[in-house]
Amino acid sequence: MLLLATFMVFLPACSDDKDEPEDIKTQMIGTWDATSVKFSDSDWVDITNYPSMALSITFNKDGSYSGRGALGNGSGTYTVSGRTIKTYVGGELYGTYYVNLISGNKAELKLTMGSTSMDIRATKR
């Protein structure tokens, strides 16, 4: 009886790796299209109705990325540390993303470029 009670206490504490969320880098691999943006104290703006504001970024498994749209077209490399993604062009820091939320094919990020920042909601293709 005592042995059975011991198993019942400790068995639920064991977890399967499948219960753990994937790391940010694995989840971010792919192409993300911005759907809404928010600047400092403003409200969210749905940019899907404004083609001139469209922007997307593709993160590749090999640590390279490419971006298109309102923030420019180009490519470079990126690093991931925790929830922070730093993008580089020619070895120089270009922008820093902080992943506030990621769930399936939806993400909410804060992008900082120099002294400017904005929040972005994006959908993975």
Side-chain angles (χ1 to χ4, degrees), residues 48-122:
T48 59
N49 297 320
Y50 302 98
S52 64
M53 293 180 69
L55 51 112
S56 67
I57 189 165
T58 300
F59 293 104
N60 301 305
K61 288 180 185 178
D62 67 359
S64 65
Y65 82 94
S66 60
R68 298 181 48 89
L71 299 176
N73 300 324
S75 60
T77 60
Y78 72 95
T79 60
V80 179
S81 177
R83 293 186 161 272
T84 303
I85 303 170
K86 292 187 176 188
T87 59
Y88 300 88
V89 174
E92 298 291 321
L93 181 64
Y94 184 72
T96 301
Y97 293 85
Y98 180 78
V99 181
N100 293 321
L101 172 73
I102 186 164
S103 178
N105 69 339
K106 305 280 185 201
E108 192 169 301
L109 315 138
K110 177 176 277 304
L111 169 61
T112 303
M113 299 174 76
S115 61
T116 305
S117 68
M118 70 174 159
D119 293 305
I120 300 171
R121 288 181 177 155

